[in-house]
């Protein structure tokens, strides 16, 4: 294998600035991001960086001892990387990792990956500017993903940006050669994959966008997803979080914006000793489920075979289906749900607040289904429109989306403010006090998820 070449150079660079725009609430004890403002990554200043390090990964690279990519480095990523068991790759704030689309590199993790940026200097996993075009949104799959093996210990992304993944796998990929990932040559890779129920998977304060298929596909892990944006996930299919066997944890205070299928979906099929069990609360899910027209697919939140969970305080707006329990195999005896708030801007959306293709026949009594505008601070809930067709499904008429008014623009969600206006009917109607499953201590930092608040959605008032 080739080694990594390190060298330093002085040059003018565009400062890449991209942090989450959406703080959760104005109360001191409510969850917040570090910075309430977001800027387009292209629109930063052009100051001269001090002796910026450039790291060229021009071939397959084995990391066999603890390694740090120093702050503000540029990484030209043109080869697969394997992190050995017991070894940590640490990525510091402001590092930009640029994937070579002709290689579609994969980062295979047998040890730990710790990527901790800041609001002002996020870490970016992306593509060169020449490839980062709006025409490539939901078309370009430039790198293979983060693949955690059965020995992986920690995966941390805090204040990071992750975009344009899901490259097509070949027999040259470590994940294919080692046979752990449930994928074959010719399939699109997952943006993230894990195998071990004990792997700590922490994704906080980050933006995950423009993936052509599943962004995250954990099949085992202790998850902590907090205060993230998942936007434009899946071209004609794919979930933001497609969670499988042996996975536990928390999904709270996230924005899911225009995903092809669901935001969170989880199953416990073939789980073994660890049943999949997710806390999913105080999320905002908009315009979900319309780029996959298959019957019964698409939606907002999905719980499937043998899994359990807590599903409360989620604001579901203009989605193809509401919270869906797939069938009677779900562990309903240990599943708690309610306090969802629904809005749909046409009659078909409203009719599917309780999905016609799921186990439930009515919404929980605590859910809000009277179709009142939730009153976002700056977002018109009638701006997204769907055109429907009616097809016959074994003698039953089924509504299928055929087109929408969706547009694909970089950082589009930052044009809006998804906090709630004073007087919103989604305020003071949620359940507070739902505790997170995990507080993870990794790399000298505690990653905690706040308990639920009594508003519905990810963001309270400004």
């Amino acid at each position: 294998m080739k080694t990594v070449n390190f060298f330093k150079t002085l040059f003018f660079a565009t400062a890449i600035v991209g942090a989450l725009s959406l703080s959760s609430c104005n109360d001191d004890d409510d969850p917040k991001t570090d910075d309430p403002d977001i800027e387009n990554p292209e629109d930063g200043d052009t100051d001269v960086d001090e002796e910026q390090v450039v790291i060229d990964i021009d071939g397959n690279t084995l990391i066999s001892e603890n390694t740090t990519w120093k702050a503000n480095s540029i990484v030209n990523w043109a080869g697969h990387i394997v992190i050995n068991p017991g070894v940590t790759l640490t990525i510091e704030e402001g590092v930009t990792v640029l994937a070579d689309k002709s290689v579609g590199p994969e980062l295979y993790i047998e040890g730990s990956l710790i990527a901790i940026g800041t609001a002002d200097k996020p870490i970016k996993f992306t593509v060169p500017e020449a490839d980062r075009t709006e025409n490539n949104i939901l078309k370009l799959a430039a790198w293979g993903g983060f693949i955690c093996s059965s020995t992986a210990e920690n995966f941390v992304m805090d204040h990071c940006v992750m975009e344009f993944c899901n490259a097509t796998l070949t027999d040259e990929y470590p994940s294919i050669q080692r046979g752990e990932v449930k994928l074959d040559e010719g399939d699109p890779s997952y943006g993230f994959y894990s195998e071990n129920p004990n792997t700590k998977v922490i994704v906080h304060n980050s933006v995950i966008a423009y993936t052509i298929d599943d962004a995250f596909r954990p099949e085992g892990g202790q998850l902590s997803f907090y205060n993230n944006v998942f936007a434009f996930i899946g071209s004609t299919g794919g979930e933001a979080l497609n969670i499988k066997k042996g996975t536990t944890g928390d999904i709270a205070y996230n924005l899911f914006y225009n995903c092809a299928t669901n935001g969170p979906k989880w199953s416990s099929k073939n789980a073994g000793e660890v049943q999949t069990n997710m806390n999913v609360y105080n999320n905002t899910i908009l315009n979900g489920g319309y780029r996959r027209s298959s019957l019964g697919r698409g939606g907002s939140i999905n719980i499937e075979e043998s899994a359990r969970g807590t599903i409360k305080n989620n604001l579901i707006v203009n989605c193809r289906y509401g919270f869906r329990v797939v069938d009677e195999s779900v562990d309903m005896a240990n599943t708690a749900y309610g306090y969802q708030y629904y809005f749909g801007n046409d009659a078909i959306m409203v009719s599917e607040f309780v999905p016609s293709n799921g186990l439930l026949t009515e919404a929980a009594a605590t859910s809000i289904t009277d179709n009142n505008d939730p009153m976002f601070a700056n977002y018109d809930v009638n701006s997204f429109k769907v055109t429907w067709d009616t097809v016959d499904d074994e003698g039953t008429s089924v509504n299928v989306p055929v087109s929408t008014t969706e547009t694909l623009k970089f950082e589009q969600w930052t044009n809006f403010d998804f906090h709630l206006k004073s007087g919103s009917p989604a305020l003071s109607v949620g359940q507070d006090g739902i505790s997170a499953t995990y507080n993870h201590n990794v790399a000298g930092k505690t990653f905690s998820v706040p308990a639920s608040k009594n508003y519905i959605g990810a963001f309270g008032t400004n």
Side-chain angles (χ1 to χ4, degrees):
M1 289 187 175
K2 295 183 180 180
T3 58
V4 183
N5 297 316
F6 296 86
F7 60 92
K8 294 184 178 182
T9 185
L10 284 171
F11 67 107
F12 287 88
T14 299
I16 296 180
V17 179
L20 276 177
S21 63
L22 303 169
S23 63
S24 294
C25 190
N26 62 339
D27 294 335
D28 290 340
D29 62 345
D30 282 335
K32 297 177 182 289
T33 56
D34 290 343
D35 188 345
D37 298 316
I38 185 166
E39 311 219 6
N40 260 333
E42 301 101 316
D43 295 338
D45 59 42
T46 54
D47 293 337
V48 179
D49 286 333
E50 294 182 3
E51 212 168 21
Q52 189 167 34
V53 174
V54 175
I55 303 170
D56 283 336
I57 299 173
D58 56 3
N60 293 343
T61 300
L62 182 67
I63 297 178
S64 57
E65 59 184 23
N66 290 343
T67 299
T68 297
W69 291 350
K70 293 296 186 181
N72 306 314
S73 300
I74 301 293
V75 181
N76 296 313
W77 186 18
H80 304 308
I81 300 171
V82 175
I83 304 172
N84 269 4
V87 173
T88 298
L89 171 60
T90 299
I91 306 177
E92 294 183 342
E93 68 272 11
V95 171
T96 301
V97 184
L98 300 173
D100 184 335
K101 67 182 179 183
S102 67
V103 177
E106 175 178 275
L107 208 165
Y108 191 84
I109 304 162
E110 298 180 312
S112 296
L113 175 68
I114 310 295
I116 301 178
T118 66
D120 292 332
K121 292 186 175 183
I123 296 164
K124 295 203 71 178
F125 301 93
T126 184
V127 295
E129 285 300 310
D131 295 322
R132 195 177 185 274
T133 66
E134 289 184 342
N135 286 337
N136 276 338
I137 294 177
L138 302 184
K139 296 176 184 176
L140 176 62
W143 55 284
F146 303 108
I147 308 301
C148 291
S149 78
S150 59
T151 64
E153 298 175 41
N154 303 297
F155 176 85
V156 178
M157 284 201 333
D158 185 13
H159 287 102
C160 293
V161 177
M162 168 184 168
E163 53 189 30
F164 293 109
C165 55
N166 303 117
T168 300
L169 294 167
T170 70
D171 61 3
E172 297 179 353
Y173 280 69
S175 57
I176 295 296
Q177 292 177 358
R178 301 177 188 222
E180 287 200 343
V181 179
K182 309 303 189 295
L183 286 172
D184 297 318
E185 295 174 46
D187 290 337
S189 178
Y190 303 125
F192 169 90
Y193 178 86
S194 58
E195 275 277 333
N196 187 338
N198 296 314
T199 300
K200 295 180 176 66
V201 180
I202 300 161
V203 183
H204 287 199
N205 308 308
S206 294
V207 175
I208 298 92
Y210 324 129
T211 72
I212 67 164
D213 210 297
D214 289 344
F216 280 77
R217 176 68 175 262
E219 296 205 9
Q222 298 176 1
L223 308 190
S224 181
F225 283 84
Y226 163 64
N227 200 36
N228 304 296
V229 174
F230 294 85
F232 298 122
I233 302 298
S235 54
T236 59
E239 331 278 344
L241 299 172
N242 192 353
I243 297 164
K244 300 300 183 184
K245 63 180 183 178
T247 309
T248 54
D250 308 296
I251 303 166
Y253 300 100
N254 302 284
L255 171 66
F256 297 91
Y257 182 84
N258 289 44
C259 298
T261 329
N262 290 284
K265 181 178 85 172
W266 64 104
S267 165
S268 196
K269 183 178 180 180
N270 301 323
E273 294 181 3
V274 178
Q275 181 186 27
T276 299
N277 180 12
M278 300 306 304
N279 273 345
V280 180
Y281 60 86
N282 283 105
N283 299 285
T284 297
I285 307 173
L286 292 103
N287 313 336
Y290 297 105
R291 289 195 301 277
R292 184 168 186 177
S293 59
S294 304
L295 297 179
R297 299 287 185 171
S300 54
I301 301 173
N302 221 54
I303 182 170
E304 299 184 349
E305 187 168 347
S306 303
R308 61 182 288 192
T310 298
I311 308 96
K312 295 185 177 182
N313 292 9
N314 299 293
L315 179 53
I316 298 171
V317 174
N318 293 337
C319 289
R320 186 174 176 188
Y321 297 110
F323 163 57
R324 178 173 174 241
V325 178
V326 171
D327 56 40
E328 60 187 12
S329 68
V330 174
D331 182 6
M332 294 303 292
N334 293 298
T335 293
Y337 63 96
Y339 299 93
Q340 269 60 253
Y341 188 111
Y342 292 102
F343 176 85
N345 66 30
D346 69 36
I348 294 173
M349 293 177 185
V350 173
S351 71
E352 294 291 352
F353 287 170
V354 179
S356 57
N357 55 1
L359 177 70
L360 301 180
T361 58
E362 59 183 7
T366 53
S367 289
I368 312 297
T369 60
D370 50 13
N371 205 40
N372 287 325
D373 186 337
M375 297 172 56
F376 290 118
N378 176 28
Y379 178 76
D380 179 3
V381 293
N382 292 306
S383 62
F384 177 83
K385 296 290 186 181
V386 180
T387 301
W388 301 87
D389 192 11
T390 302
V391 301
D392 183 83
D393 179 27
E394 299 180 352
T396 301
S397 293
V398 178
N399 296 305
V400 176
V402 294
S403 67
T404 71
T405 57
E406 175 184 72
T407 57
L408 302 176
K409 298 290 184 182
F410 282 134
E411 288 81 46
Q412 185 183 84
W413 60 93
T414 66
N415 296 322
F416 311 116
D417 185 345
F418 296 107
H419 288 87
L420 301 173
K421 291 179 181 177
S422 177
S424 164
L427 293 171
S428 303
V429 291
Q431 180 180 352
D432 59 5
I434 301 169
S435 297
T437 307
Y438 295 115
N439 287 320
H440 288 311
N441 293 294
V442 178
K445 183 175 180 179
T446 299
F447 296 91
S448 59
V449 177
S452 66
K453 298 298 176 183
N454 70 351
Y455 53 81
I456 295 183
F459 316 107
T461 56
N462 277 311

